[in-house]
Amino acid sequence: MRAIAAELSATPAQVLIAWALERGTCAIPKSTNPGRIAENLGGAALELDAASMARRDALDRGLRYVHGAFWAKEGSPYTVETLWDGDV
């Protein structure tokens, strides 16, 4: 992330926000620091080219920090298998 950010004169957070938005996913950055809030908004204006997107995608190690079982309650339409593309 740092290398991609440096090449784009951006912060790693801005690159990750731009990457999420480019993929069509929701990005919900959080901060109470006015400087960080402004910095995060800059991520929405950052444009990533196909090479930067591919480099970011290559960093995926398939790790999940959230298991997802709390969404798969009895009666829920969700299962852990369908939430994570079969990766549990």
Side-chain angles (χ1 to χ4, degrees), residues 2-88:
R2 288 185 187 115
I4 295 169
E7 291 168 9
L8 298 171
S9 298
T11 66
Q14 289 172 325
V15 172
L16 289 170
I17 291 166
W19 173 78
L21 295 173
E22 182 68 28
R23 294 178 58 222
T25 57
C26 182
I28 307 174
K30 181 251 175 232
S31 183
T32 58
N33 178 303
R36 295 269 189 206
I37 293 170
E39 182 180 292
N40 289 341
L41 288 171
L46 187 63
E47 293 185 24
L48 301 180
D49 61 17
S52 294
M53 289 292 290
R55 286 175 62 199
R56 167 50 197 94
D57 290 342
L59 296 173
D60 185 6
R61 294 189 176 111
L63 300 175
R64 301 277 182 217
Y65 293 100
V66 175
H67 183 268
F70 56 90
W71 282 306
K73 302 290 184 199
E74 185 177 331
S76 168
Y78 305 109
T79 66
V80 173
E81 291 76 21
T82 58
L83 284 172
W84 303 134
D85 300 327
D87 297 334
V88 202

